[in-house]
Amino acid sequence: MKRAFVIGHPINHSRSPMIHGYWLKRYGIEGSYEAIDVAPQDVAPFLDRIRAGEFAGGNVTVPDKETAYALCDERDDLAEDIGAVNTLVAKGDQVVGFNTDYLGFLGNLDERAPGWDEPLGAASAIVLGAGGAARAVLVALKSRGVKEIRLLNRTLDKAETLALDLEGPIACGALDEFGRHAAEAALVVNASTVGMKGTRFERLDLSKLPKTAIVTDLVYTPLVTPLLADAQKLGLKTVDGLGMLLHQAVPGFEAWFGRKPEVTPELRAMVEASL
Ligand code: NAP
């Protein structure tokens, strides 16, 4: 029986066992997917268990993504660009690292807002936040040929370091510059932790955005963050972060269990009900 896992610290909050458990059952696959609490200092011995054949692979979540990146034997190009892994796959006695947040972000927008990237060849995208998730978002946006990305972060230095590291059409600024750039934006992405537990950005004036702009949030607890609620009040199209969580799980499941799973409305409803 093939075994997979999600490691992180703490790990009880993870919805990944629910997602992969749903697919194992749906496709009648004899396999398991378990949540294992692994602190960063214990990632190295855990990877040895994968090398020894105990697991087909698994997911990595906060705060282990960078540690696992540094310790795996091989990484795909995207993971190299992003500098963190969220998916590990056993290959013989080696551990290969991937970053599927990128695919999750794109898969979610492609599903919920088809054609979202068409105006971006001539317009800009605003990304709020410059942490690990923002990296994946920036790489994803670059891959879709966005003309200009405005990377706004509370700590300007961090945005500048990230932009230098990733290269491309990324201009940095502070969060309070939002109003100055809003009129040219076709897409706003919140890749910061603001929104979790109902927190909100101060002084983010969405009213200057074009009426056709799309606002998406990576935060999915709550599902409708204050940012998305404000955008909806203005009649803007919004895309929540739950779909990203579901879509980022697809490539891992396929690699471990040999079947590409579907993100069904039933799965979404099940995970949504657990939030
Ligand atoms: P991270 O590396 O810790 O980065 C956090 C970011 O939020 C930083 O840019 C930080 O700014 C900013 N921030 C924190 N508190 C703030 C505040 N009070 N005001 C303004 N900015 C603030 O976190 P991450 O791994 O990138 O994750 C970011 C969010 O994305 C998390 O909520 C995570 O759950 C979510 N996420 C969702 C998915 C999904 O599948 N939907 C996938 C990945 C991540 P400073 O630089 O100034 O500290």
Side-chain angles (χ1 to χ4, degrees):
M1 184 177 84
K2 286 188 175 168
R3 291 176 67 195
F5 58 81
V6 56
I7 56 167
H9 182 70
I11 198 61
N12 337 349
H13 66 283
S14 174
R15 299 302 188 293
S16 293
M18 182 181 275
I19 298 168
H20 291 281
Y22 168 85
W23 284 330
L24 285 170
K25 197 165 161 213
R26 179 177 166 97
Y27 301 117
I29 294 171
E30 258 202 65
S32 71
Y33 185 98
E34 58 202 285
I36 305 174
D37 195 307
V38 177
Q41 65 270 23
D42 300 323
V43 171
F46 186 81
L47 258 56
D48 285 337
R49 291 171 60 185
I50 309 171
R51 293 186 182 101
E54 194 176 331
F55 299 102
N59 290 119
V60 185
T61 187
V62 180
D64 294 337
K65 290 181 181 186
E66 285 80 15
T67 315
Y69 171 84
L71 292 172
C72 58
D73 305 300
E74 234 181 85
R75 305 162 199 115
D76 86 331
D77 291 348
L78 271 172
E80 293 273 0
D81 284 346
I82 297 166
V85 296
N86 70 344
T87 302
L88 300 174
V89 178
K91 192 171 111 188
D93 61 357
Q94 307 264 293
V95 180
V96 188
F98 299 84
N99 192 309
T100 66
D101 277 342
Y102 157 95
L103 292 170
F105 174 74
L106 293 177
N108 187 30
L109 281 176
D110 287 342
E111 183 197 325
R112 314 291 283 192
W116 64 274
D117 52 347
E118 278 160 25
L120 288 170
S124 67
I126 297 179
V127 177
L128 307 168
R135 267 181 177 269
V137 167
L138 293 170
V139 171
L141 291 175
K142 268 173 55 178
S143 78
R144 293 292 177 96
V146 180
K147 188 186 117 212
E148 183 178 54
I149 302 170
R150 293 276 171 194
L151 178 60
L152 308 184
N153 194 41
R154 179 179 60 176
T155 312
L156 185 55
D157 285 7
K158 278 206 211 160
E160 283 169 347
T161 307
L162 182 55
L164 269 179
D165 205 28
L166 291 181
E167 299 174 346
I170 307 171
C172 301
L175 288 171
D176 59 15
E177 286 178 33
F178 182 88
R180 215 187 302 158
H181 305 298
E184 293 100 55
L187 177 72
V188 177
V189 182
N190 177 34
S192 79
T193 49
V194 178
M196 291 177 90
K197 301 189 182 129
T199 51
R200 63 165 57 240
F201 288 100
E202 285 164 31
R203 299 183 297 279
L204 207 63
D205 185 2
L206 302 181
S207 69
K208 296 203 172 87
L209 289 168
K211 289 288 163 227
T212 49
I214 297 170
V215 180
T216 185
D217 207 322
L218 267 54
V219 173
Y220 55 85
T221 46
L223 197 56
V224 181
T225 58
L227 176 71
L228 295 186
D230 290 347
Q232 285 169 4
K233 270 185 222 145
L234 290 167
L236 300 172
K237 175 150 185 72
T238 60
V239 178
D240 65 56
L242 180 56
M244 177 170 170
L245 177 76
L246 303 176
H247 282 278
Q248 63 78 31
V250 169
F253 188 92
E254 185 176 10
W256 313 316
F257 299 115
R259 167 147 196 180
K260 185 173 183 182
E262 240 187 302
V263 174
T264 60
E266 185 189 26
L267 172 63
R268 192 184 151 90
M270 193 177 83
V271 180
E272 195 175 325
S274 78
L275 295 178

